[in-house]
Amino acid sequence: SKGDYLAAIGKFNEVKRYYENSGNVDEAEFFRAKSLIALDRHDEALAILNHFRSEGEKERRAEAIYLYATIEYELEHFEQSAEGFSQFLEEEKGREERDRALYMLGDSHRKLGNYQESYRAFQRRLDDALLPREERLKTSLDLTEVLVEEGRFEDAYRELEEIRKDVTASEDSLKIDFRKGGGLIAEGRMDEAVVLYEESLKDAPSSEVAADVAFALGDLYLNHYGQKDS
């Protein structure tokens, strides 16, 4: 709890070494895996979690599957993470973890080019009426990114305009413009992307997404038009 993970690992190792028959070994091993994750010692954590994925009691097994898949996702092993999150979702644990699993499952499939599976996972997440607004917007935008990568540009633009109807914050509107511009660029409609980005940046408040739009615009000026000063 204090974040002193090395000390925690030492104590959990003592449980396994000196109190093997106490009934606490499994719990100590599981918390040791969590401490190893916090220290980015992924290989050691995966070895422990792999045991619980196959032999742990039901609730701990579900969490082990989730943590294992999360590590694989962070390591960009997307085939393994997609398989793991699919397995976890069959266990149907807590709603919060289910939401995160659906997002990472959709993103894993998107990175693998499995666009139909990605679309379905994102849509399943959006079907949750209790999904927070920010997460709903993020997932909706990623769903349109799937459509763009699949070459379904007009479907993506229609989806973005539907999303815009429920948006009030200027920063959220800018996120939509950024995604639409990305679609226009992928489609080869560079002039339209430039006009969209320039209009979007007028009076835009300073933010991370405004920086993304400005960078994308600068990249177009430099690498597509050769306008170095711009």
Side-chain angles (χ1 to χ4, degrees):
S1 298
K2 290 164 60 179
D4 191 351
Y5 300 113
L6 287 174
I9 289 169
K11 285 299 174 185
F12 294 137
N13 282 335
E14 286 182 21
V15 173
K16 187 176 182 180
R17 185 178 302 118
Y18 300 119
Y19 306 99
E20 187 175 356
N21 298 319
S22 69
N24 295 321
V25 173
D26 276 357
E27 187 172 9
E29 278 292 275
F30 202 75
F31 278 106
R32 185 164 73 92
K34 289 186 172 184
S35 300
L36 290 165
I37 292 170
L39 294 172
D40 293 328
R41 289 163 60 176
H42 294 128
D43 289 344
E44 295 169 82
L46 287 171
I48 298 170
L49 293 171
N50 195 41
H51 163 76
F52 285 102
R53 286 196 308 160
S54 57
E55 299 183 24
E57 54 96 17
K58 184 176 181 180
E59 184 174 350
R60 188 167 286 148
R61 183 176 71 248
E63 188 176 1
I65 292 167
Y66 176 81
L67 291 172
Y68 194 99
T70 301
I71 292 172
E72 296 287 21
Y73 177 80
E74 290 175 356
L75 293 174
E76 299 185 358
H77 300 159
F78 295 119
E79 287 188 8
Q80 292 88 334
S81 63
E83 180 183 349
F85 289 125
S86 295
Q87 185 181 358
F88 170 76
L89 288 164
E90 293 176 4
E91 303 276 343
E92 290 293 341
K93 199 169 180 287
R95 189 184 67 82
E96 182 180 351
E97 288 181 348
R98 179 180 180 277
D99 286 344
R100 292 297 304 152
L102 280 169
Y103 179 81
M104 289 185 281
L105 174 62
D107 196 47
S108 295
H109 278 306
R110 184 171 70 86
K111 300 285 177 47
L112 291 168
N114 301 331
Y115 298 123
Q116 291 300 313
E117 291 88 344
S118 178
Y119 189 94
R120 281 196 291 268
F122 286 143
Q123 192 59 63
R124 283 175 65 189
R125 192 175 196 230
L126 290 170
D127 287 341
D128 182 359
L130 299 177
L131 188 66
R133 187 186 66 83
E134 282 298 316
E135 289 298 317
R136 182 170 298 280
L137 177 61
K138 176 180 174 62
T139 306
S140 297
L141 291 173
D142 283 351
L143 189 147
T144 64
E145 186 74 8
V146 172
L147 294 173
V148 166
E149 292 183 15
E150 205 174 4
R152 296 167 57 188
F153 298 108
E154 293 306 318
D155 289 341
Y157 303 147
R158 278 194 294 271
E159 189 70 32
L160 286 167
E161 291 311 309
E162 285 298 313
I163 297 169
R164 196 186 298 276
K165 293 177 182 178
D166 297 323
V167 160
T168 55
S170 60
E171 184 174 351
D172 291 343
S173 183
L174 195 59
K175 290 177 183 178
I176 294 170
D177 288 342
F178 180 58
R179 286 301 172 95
K180 184 175 182 179
L184 292 170
I185 292 169
E187 205 176 355
R189 296 160 64 179
M190 308 300 186
D191 291 352
E192 293 172 74
V194 168
V195 170
L196 175 63
Y197 286 159
E198 288 177 337
E199 287 296 318
S200 299
L201 287 172
K202 288 180 180 177
D203 303 319
S206 178
S207 66
E208 185 175 347
V209 67
D212 289 337
V213 173
F215 188 92
L217 182 58
D219 186 55
L220 281 171
Y221 284 143
L222 177 64
N223 293 309
H224 183 71
Y225 295 100
Q227 298 176 4
K228 296 181 179 180
D229 289 342
S230 298

